[in-house]
Amino acid sequence: MLHLADITANLDIYTAGLIKRNLPQASELLAKVIKLDEDRKATQHKLDNNLAEANLMAKQIGGLMKEGKKEEAERAKSKTAELKQENKALGDKLAGIQAELQGKLYQLPNIPHTSVPAGNSEEDNEEIKREGEIPLLHEKAVPHWELIRQYDIIDFDLGVKITGAGFPVYKGRGARLQRALINFFLDRAEAAGYKEMQTPIVVNEASGYGTGQLPDKEGQMYHIDEEDLYLIPTAEVPLTNIYRDVILNEEDLPIKNVGYTPCFRREAGSWGAHVRGLNRLHQFDKVEIIQIVKPETSYNTLQQMCNYVEQLLNDLNLPYRILRLCAGDLGFTSALTFDFEVFSAAQNKWLEVSSVSNFENFQANRLKLRYKNENGQKQLLHTLNGSALALPRILAAILENNQKENGIAIPEVLRPYTGFDRIGER
RNA sequence: AGAGGAGUGGCAGAGUGGUCGAAUGCGGUGGUCUUGAAAACCAUUGUACCGCGAGGUACCGGGGGUUCGAAUCCCUCCUCCUCUGCCA
């Protein structure tokens, strides 16, 4: 959520930022928000004054009662009725204004960083780096959805039987390989100074609002009606909401946490012929890193997190490219996002496996996540996160890129985790 | 899940209708004393909003209600504890 005082102080920047986000009516939207805030202040001021008066009268009545002046007290009481009614109306009005203001603010996305290219769709994303060699596959090479059948390591039909489409069953060496990747990612993160956290994978509404999945993306999350809870679409939600309503000390910073969780996405409407196999699932595993840092260091941190992700891809020996997302493709809460895509050779396709973002204080403002600076003032922090990494597409790329005529070679770094160096015929 | 009990400031813990934003203790911060430290003593110490300021308002688990007035009474939800039941 954008910070109201910041908007007022830097109206031009915010207007331009939202226009870049393809919100041509930004100026009117912000004017409305500012107007609402002014209304809020005026109404609250009036209500506060009235309440002060009512408090005073109540005290006087109390005094009169004590002195035994019952009649005077009764007379004073009758005078409060009108004031009370007025305050009730003012209170309702204030609540209405606040709800409307809150609603408007919730609908405003974060403003893009200056380096974010203009654009409407993924077509306009800027490729800033390409690394690694695209493997030459043998003649009979096939996409991963063939390979998993051939080697019997992932079973979509079983998933359909148990649950439905998009919930695969990992079997034998397939399961082992996935577990190896999870452990590899967690160990690496820990070595890089991230603290491992195991969180709930079901969250309440407040958490959804805290990181920005709610109010507008509820269609993307599975909802448990009975308890009014949501299945997490990413570990970002629980990992970051740990710090909701928290005031940190300067020496606690930076916060660096990592968590492995399953993630659940309804992906309503995004299914199609181009999405096959492991490319898009309703349930998938992901290791997520988050950082909470002082505002002035957050872009260094973003770079550092990108370097970290890059190193993982290098170590897995996967060809990848890095994209700077354009304004139109940028997530609602993000100021700057780098997407990492690996090349899955048999599909001849780039697959997004990580998204590393700086949210600046957008989430922190919703979360009320602050720290006490050296002057004792409370200041909003910056939050960042990144996938490190998302499992299924990494798996797809490993399977496709490393396929030989007699099996699939396991990347060196994973062998200590898998305990085998290839996946062969069943 | 059923029965009972409880949720108060960083922590512990008083307060059951009116000078209570809240006693007291611990902790924190500043100071006195000391070569230094400890102890002792003095002062100070919640959050948010409005206001240039003086100051005002709200907050005693969340929401609603009764009352001139609510931490205190009522309703409701949440959480924790004890006992019973169930269970990985």
Side-chain angles (χ1 to χ4, degrees):
Chain A
M1 186 163 63
L2 297 177
H3 194 249
L4 203 42
D6 286 350
I7 295 177
T8 316
N10 307 291
L11 191 55
D12 292 347
I13 295 174
Y14 278 81
T15 307
L18 292 179
I19 287 171
K20 196 173 179 183
R21 276 265 191 189
N22 305 320
L23 280 170
Q25 71 283 33
S27 191
E28 292 78 38
L29 285 172
L30 291 180
K32 178 72 179 161
V33 163
I34 291 169
K35 172 74 169 61
L36 278 168
D37 191 44
E38 280 163 4
D39 287 353
R40 191 207 106 235
K41 282 182 191 173
T43 308
Q44 189 174 42
H45 191 67
K46 193 157 184 221
L47 178 61
D48 281 358
N49 286 340
N50 276 12
L51 285 173
E53 194 181 340
N55 285 344
L56 191 68
M57 286 173 94
K59 265 184 194 160
Q60 285 170 350
I61 291 168
L64 290 172
M65 301 282 266
K66 244 182 208 162
E67 292 168 33
K69 298 178 182 167
K70 248 191 152 177
E71 281 183 27
E72 268 186 67
E74 284 307 321
R75 237 179 297 139
K77 269 195 205 183
S78 62
K79 275 201 251 173
T80 61
E82 202 180 319
L83 189 61
K84 240 185 131 181
Q85 213 169 10
E86 194 181 329
N87 286 351
K88 173 90 176 104
L90 275 172
D92 290 347
K93 186 182 170 194
L94 182 63
I97 292 171
Q98 272 172 329
E100 196 184 348
L101 177 59
Q102 192 67 240
K104 290 268 184 292
L105 282 173
Y106 273 141
Q107 281 162 28
L108 294 177
N110 202 354
I111 58 170
H113 186 258
T114 49
S115 71
V116 169
N120 299 311
S121 71
E122 58 184 53
E123 312 278 301
D124 302 313
N125 292 339
E126 177 193 346
E127 181 174 323
I128 59 173
K129 187 169 186 179
R130 195 179 281 223
E131 192 79 37
E133 224 165 283
I134 290 175
L136 277 175
L137 301 184
H138 63 87
E139 276 179 9
K140 290 178 193 148
V142 291
H144 70 271
W145 51 84
E146 303 284 346
L147 291 169
I148 59 173
R149 202 185 291 265
Q150 188 179 337
Y151 297 117
D152 194 29
I153 51 175
I154 301 174
D155 194 324
F156 280 87
D157 296 335
L158 270 185
V160 168
K161 176 182 176 185
I162 298 167
T163 308
F167 293 88
V169 174
Y170 300 78
K171 300 159 80 175
R173 291 197 162 184
R176 179 73 187 227
L177 176 54
Q178 173 136 276
R179 180 154 60 88
L181 279 163
I182 292 165
N183 285 333
F184 170 66
F185 292 147
L186 285 173
D187 286 355
R188 279 301 174 87
E190 210 170 342
Y194 293 90
K195 183 178 182 181
E196 184 176 346
M197 305 289 248
Q198 287 191 18
T199 66
I201 59 173
V202 187
V203 296
N204 57 30
E205 198 179 44
S207 294
Y209 275 93
T211 31
Q213 280 67 32
L214 295 176
D216 47 298
K217 276 181 227 96
E218 51 220 316
Q220 280 289 5
M221 291 191 284
Y222 288 95
H223 182 251
I224 301 167
D225 289 331
E226 194 89 54
E227 325 286 348
D228 194 17
L229 297 171
Y230 296 87
L231 265 54
I232 58 168
T234 159
E236 163 194 350
V237 182
L239 284 176
T240 308
N241 271 282
I242 289 172
Y243 301 93
R244 172 152 44 86
D245 291 317
V246 166
I247 298 175
L248 293 164
N249 294 313
E250 198 166 359
E251 59 266 28
D252 299 329
L253 299 168
I255 299 280
K256 296 175 76 176
N257 288 337
V258 58
Y260 152 70
T261 67
C263 302
F264 302 88
R265 298 187 184 178
R266 293 186 59 227
E267 303 291 2
S270 66
W271 230 259
H274 61 293
V275 183
R276 288 195 67 177
L278 295 167
N279 291 359
R280 175 157 291 153
L281 300 171
H282 285 307
Q283 178 183 331
F284 64 97
D285 286 332
K286 183 157 61 68
V287 173
E288 185 83 3
I289 52 176
I290 70 134
Q291 289 210 38
I292 295 167
V293 302
K294 290 198 252 179
E296 58 270 25
T297 62
S298 68
Y299 280 95
N300 283 337
T301 303
L302 182 65
Q303 188 57 52
Q304 174 204 323
M305 289 170 77
C306 284
N307 293 345
Y308 172 77
V309 169
E310 221 181 321
Q311 191 56 50
L312 291 178
L313 295 172
N314 279 324
D315 290 343
L316 289 170
N317 201 25
L318 292 170
Y320 63 90
R321 64 178 187 180
I322 306 176
L323 306 174
R324 191 199 307 268
L325 294 196
C326 74
D329 207 25
L330 199 60
F332 185 81
T333 50
S334 177
L336 178 59
T337 295
F338 292 102
D339 270 7
F340 290 71
E341 298 184 340
V342 297
F343 193 76
S344 205
Q347 321 178 49
N348 194 29
K349 201 170 171 178
W350 293 99
L351 300 177
E352 182 195 330
V353 292
S354 177
S355 195
V356 184
S357 303
N358 186 356
F359 305 100
E360 298 194 1
N361 68 18
F362 191 90
Q363 288 183 330
N365 191 34
R366 286 195 178 189
L367 294 161
K368 301 266 171 294
L369 166 55
R370 291 160 295 172
Y371 84 110
K372 236 180 216 173
N373 66 22
E374 48 197 5
N375 304 323
Q377 294 158 324
K378 281 168 275 293
Q379 202 177 345
L380 288 172
L381 286 160
H382 282 193
T383 59
L384 303 97
N385 69 40
S387 352
L389 293 159
L391 276 287
R393 292 175 186 165
I394 289 286
L395 213 47
I398 287 176
L399 296 175
E400 291 188 14
N401 293 7
N402 297 334
Q403 61 181 305
K404 312 282 183 260
E405 297 200 51
N406 62 348
I408 295 158
I410 301 297
E412 288 287 347
V413 288
L414 294 179
R415 291 181 188 178
Y417 292 94
T418 54
F420 51 82
D421 57 13
R422 63 183 282 277
I423 294 173
E425 292 296 337
R426 50 173 127 174

